[in-house]
């Protein structure tokens, strides 16, 4: 069987059997089986899910990372190998990332005697809940590693396209929850209460002014309310309403300024409406900051291996690969997947033609990076 067909078969098997973050037990077992069959050394890290392998010998170490978890989405892609797990889907393409890095591992194994060091392969769980990278770091998977590389497929780019950038790339991710507490009342006698729905509605509108009027327009900011919940019947003003949403930035200073302004707006509305607004912030991954040198190096290898390279735009999504880059230098890259539907969409369907060339790219990147550390 050709390498390309093997990688697509593996990708489809992973796609049929997706597992949520922290539950990737069968996925881990499959990876262990495939790596063992290729005589690739599996390292004995203490991990509940996920697996780490290593190829080569010597004192130089670089790492490649793939993420392996899926999303709580009911698939509607219509492909013959659709998810067999109801309500779970590889809607972000982690099955593709895994097959790419598996392919790179097989190619590196075939040239193991010629490698000028070791390549550690991280098949990371729980990227979607931003916990997996931290678990691998705690387990020691970055020990002795000098540089790390990873990828995300990019549905907005054609197959054969490559993009990355030095410096900030993916965004800080914060989740917020507002608990708006007024005073309930009969809908016919609103003057006897303090209407939490009216307050919440005005608060949503006011928050939109933060990015447009309080932050330098040259800085990247997304502040979005994504959920509103309140009330349980038609003729009662509810006592409380809950709002939930996300803040995305690329600079810590901007992040803190937005949080401070949001707090001021909430306090002002609470006073004006004789109500209470409690805000809880939940931190996701920090901004992903590529090392300039390794981003340039990754681009040069992409050009050598036949990609059309371009300078990536700032990305407002979150990516826990950022955790690794807080510890060691490296680069995260985008590879075109040409899906007509975007990431996290139930009809997401990346073009499998990207897999074999990307596997070759990462094997070359790893092998040549060992000469530059």
């Amino acid at each position: 069987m050709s390498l390309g067909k093997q990688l697509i078969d593996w990708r489809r098997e992973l796609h049929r059997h997706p597992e949520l973050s922290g539950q990737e037990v069968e996925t881990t077992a499959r990876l262990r089986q495939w790596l063992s069959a290729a005589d690739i050394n599996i390292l004995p890290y203490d991990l509940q899910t996920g697996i780490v392998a290593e190829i080569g010998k010597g004192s130089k170490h670089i790492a490649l990372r793939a993420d392996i978890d899926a999303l709580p989405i009911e698939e509607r892609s219509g492909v013959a190998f659709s998810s067999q797990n109801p309500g779970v889907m590889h809607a972000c393409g982690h099955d593709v990332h895994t097959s790419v890095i598996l392919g790179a591992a097989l190619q590196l194994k075939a040239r193991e005697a010629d490698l000028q060091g070791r390549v550690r392969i991280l098949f990371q769980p729980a990227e979607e809940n931003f916990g997996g990278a931290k678990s691998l770091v705690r387990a020691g998977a970055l020990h002795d590693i000098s540089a790390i590389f990873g990828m995300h497929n990019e549905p907005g780019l054609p197959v054969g396209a490559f993009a990355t950038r030095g410096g900030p790339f993916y965004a800080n991710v914060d989740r917020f929850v507002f608990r708006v507490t007024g005073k309930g009342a009969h809908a016919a006698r609103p003057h006897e209460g303090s209407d939490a729905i009216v307050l919440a509605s005005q608060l949503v509108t006011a928050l939109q002014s933060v990015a447009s009027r309080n932050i330098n327009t040259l800085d990247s900011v997304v502040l979005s309310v994504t959920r509103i919940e309140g009330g349980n019947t038609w003729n009662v003003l509810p006592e409380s309403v809950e709002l939930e949403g996300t803040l995305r930035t690329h600079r810590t200073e901007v992040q803190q300024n937005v949080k401070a302004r949001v707090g001021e707006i909430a306090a002002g509305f609470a006073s004006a409406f004789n109500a209470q607004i409690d805000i809880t912030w939940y931190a996701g991954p920090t901004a992903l900051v590529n090392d300039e040198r390794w981003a340039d190096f990754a681009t040069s290898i992409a050009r050598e291996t036949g990609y059309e390279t371009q300078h990536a735009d700032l990305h407002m999504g979150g990516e826990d690969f950022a955790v690794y880059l807080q510890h060691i230098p490296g680069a995260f890259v985008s590879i075109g997947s040409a899906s007509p539907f975007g990431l996290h969409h139930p009809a997401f369907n990346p073009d499998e033609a990207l897999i074999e060339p990307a596997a070759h790219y990462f094997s070359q990147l790893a092998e040549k990076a060992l000469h530059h550390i």
Side-chain angles (χ1 to χ4, degrees):
M1 183 185 296
S2 70
L3 176 64
K5 187 177 187 309
Q6 178 66 84
L7 298 182
I8 288 173
D9 284 352
W10 282 343
R11 182 259 165 161
R12 292 182 178 185
E13 183 167 350
L14 293 171
H15 192 87
R16 280 192 295 267
H17 304 284
E19 296 174 295
L20 297 176
S21 300
Q23 301 175 28
E24 310 95 333
V25 175
E26 291 184 12
T27 302
T28 300
R30 287 184 173 88
L31 291 170
R32 182 176 295 276
Q33 176 187 347
W34 297 335
L35 292 166
S36 297
D39 197 29
I40 293 174
N41 183 36
I42 296 172
L43 301 181
Y45 288 110
D46 184 17
L47 300 170
Q48 296 299 312
T49 57
I51 195 166
V52 179
E54 192 168 86
I55 300 163
K57 295 180 180 180
S59 59
K60 295 180 179 181
H61 294 72
I62 68 101
L64 302 178
R65 175 270 210 171
D67 36 16
I68 66 174
D69 54 330
L71 286 158
I73 292 174
E74 187 70 35
E75 183 162 4
R76 297 204 308 267
S77 68
V79 297
F81 49 91
S82 288
S83 171
Q84 296 178 11
N85 296 344
V88 185
M89 178 194 174
H90 272 296
C92 204
H94 295 184
D95 53 337
V96 171
H97 305 164
T98 299
S99 63
V100 165
I101 301 303
L102 277 168
L106 292 180
Q107 293 185 39
L108 289 164
K109 180 64 179 179
R111 300 194 297 275
E112 186 170 27
D114 298 323
L115 296 179
Q116 299 300 303
R118 303 172 190 252
V119 180
R120 194 167 297 166
I121 313 291
L122 281 55
F123 293 100
Q124 180 208 302
E127 191 280 328
E128 294 293 353
N129 69 8
F130 306 134
K134 291 179 181 178
S135 70
L136 287 186
V137 171
R138 285 194 300 268
L142 294 188
H143 181 66
D144 286 336
I145 299 297
S146 296
I148 187 168
F149 303 95
M151 68 163 284
H152 209 294
N153 77 91
E154 178 49 65
L157 293 178
V159 171
F162 171 101
T164 193
R165 60 186 293 134
F169 189 3
Y170 281 61
N172 290 303
V173 176
D174 290 296
R175 169 187 164 219
F176 61 79
V177 176
F178 285 62
R179 180 79 175 182
V180 178
T181 305
K183 181 181 178 182
H186 194 291
R189 300 181 65 79
H191 60 284
E192 295 179 352
S194 182
D195 193 337
I197 285 182
V198 169
L199 169 51
S201 300
Q202 295 195 32
L203 181 60
V204 171
T205 301
L207 291 176
Q208 303 313 301
S209 70
V210 176
S212 64
R213 292 296 179 268
N214 299 129
I215 302 299
N216 189 322
T217 55
L218 299 179
D219 282 314
S220 50
V221 179
V222 169
L223 181 64
S224 295
V225 175
T226 57
R227 181 179 65 84
I228 303 177
E229 185 175 342
N232 54 25
T233 189
W234 66 277
N235 62 347
V236 176
L237 300 180
E239 180 175 294
S240 64
V241 172
E242 191 168 272
L243 309 177
E244 186 174 19
T246 185
L247 166 65
R248 311 291 176 104
T249 68
H250 285 99
R251 294 202 298 123
T252 300
E253 179 184 358
V254 175
Q255 176 192 39
Q256 296 307 313
N257 288 343
V258 171
K259 287 184 176 182
R261 183 58 182 147
V262 166
E264 292 168 355
I265 291 172
F269 271 87
S271 176
F273 280 79
N274 193 29
Q276 180 176 334
I277 302 176
D278 297 304
I279 309 173
T280 304
W281 291 94
Y282 300 90
T286 59
L288 186 156
V289 182
N290 276 340
D291 180 84
E292 297 276 359
R293 171 181 172 243
W294 286 120
D296 289 344
F297 182 79
T299 300
S300 69
I301 302 301
R303 197 174 296 117
E304 288 177 14
T305 53
Y307 280 100
E308 291 290 332
T309 63
Q310 56 187 266
H311 185 73
D313 294 330
L314 287 172
H315 199 302
M316 299 310 296
E319 171 54 65
D320 82 346
F321 191 87
V323 172
Y324 302 123
L325 296 179
Q326 291 178 322
H327 294 270
I328 57 175
F332 195 71
V333 307
S334 297
I335 293 181
S337 59
S339 172
F341 296 93
L343 302 174
H344 294 210
H345 191 283
F348 174 68
N349 185 19
D351 190 333
E352 294 175 325
L354 78 90
I355 294 175
E356 186 175 12
H360 177 64
Y361 163 72
F362 275 101
S363 71
Q364 291 294 300
L365 176 64
E367 185 171 354
K368 293 182 179 183
L370 288 170
H371 293 272
H372 288 77
I373 58 175

